[in-house]
Amino acid sequence: MQQLSYINATPTDLPLIVEIYNSTIASRMVTADTEPVTVESRIAWFEKHSQDKRPLWMIRAYNNTVVGWAGFQSFYGRPAYNATVEISIYLAPTERGKGLGTQVLQHCIHASPAYGIKTLLGFIFAHNQPSLKLFYTHGFEDWGTLPNVATLDGVEQTLKILGKRVA
């Protein structure tokens, strides 16, 4: 098992965050974006993360190579939902399928209470079987299904909402 470290992202990390994110678009498995995003278009998203409430981590391997990023994003933007977040995990193309997702998800689950988080949500396409398996393996359950809400290349896709109480 590879030793990973989690470093708070800085604005200088944003180009790499965008590059890793954009590398997932073509697969039509991970995101509803259909065209690459720009660094400029992600600045406001980046600024919504705060290291004390909604961290955004760069994930590094033992040799200091960035293997991906992960973070928490506020759910629904209303104060009553402050203890609920959406979790995002994105691995670099060369790092996928190596079991790193398990380590990263475990880190996110264990770190959650320190940020006042009681509930984690994952929004995952129903056809993304690897991600669904990862989340189910770590105790996430089906909390909702939004049938055919996304159209990717003319094909309607279903979105699953998975949830887990952590505190």
Side-chain angles (χ1 to χ4, degrees), residues 87-133:
I87 185 172
S88 295
I89 298 172
Y90 286 84
L91 297 175
T94 58
E95 305 303 325
R96 296 176 194 146
K98 296 181 178 180
L100 297 180
T102 291
Q103 290 182 64
V104 175
L105 185 54
Q106 287 173 339
H107 172 80
C108 292
I109 291 168
H110 294 304
S112 297
Y115 296 95
I117 296 166
K118 296 180 180 179
T119 304
L120 292 173
L121 299 174
F123 292 79
I124 303 171
F125 285 129
H127 64 283
N128 185 345
Q129 291 301 308
S131 290
L132 289 172
K133 180 180 177 187

Side-chain angles (χ1 to χ4, degrees), residues 4 41 55 76 88 150 161:
L4 301 177
S41 72
Y76 207 58
S88 295
I161 301 170

Side-chain angles (χ1 to χ4, degrees), residues 2-9 56-60 69-70 100-108:
Q2 200 173 146
Q3 181 68 25
L4 301 177
S5 61
Y6 302 84
I7 291 47
N8 290 334
L56 180 62
W57 296 295
M58 300 306 292
I59 306 162
R60 296 184 182 274
W69 60 269
L100 297 180
T102 291
Q103 290 182 64
V104 175
L105 185 54
Q106 287 173 339
H107 172 80
C108 292

Side-chain angles (χ1 to χ4, degrees), residues 22-102:
N22 282 341
S23 74
T24 68
I25 293 173
S27 73
R28 302 300 196 245
M29 295 272 291
V30 179
T31 178
D33 278 313
T34 57
E35 298 292 328
V37 300
T38 64
V39 171
E40 294 74 24
S41 72
R42 300 299 278 181
I43 291 172
W45 165 86
F46 181 87
E47 290 173 347
K48 287 182 183 176
H49 289 86
S50 65
Q51 301 312 334
D52 62 335
K53 296 284 184 190
R54 300 292 184 257
L56 180 62
W57 296 295
M58 300 306 292
I59 306 162
R60 296 184 182 274
Y62 72 94
N63 61 2
N64 210 29
T65 301
V66 172
V67 297
W69 60 269
F72 299 140
Q73 184 169 314
S74 294
F75 170 73
Y76 207 58
R78 304 271 188 337
Y81 297 112
N82 281 346
T84 301
V85 297
E86 177 185 353
I87 185 172
S88 295
I89 298 172
Y90 286 84
L91 297 175
T94 58
E95 305 303 325
R96 296 176 194 146
K98 296 181 178 180
L100 297 180
T102 291

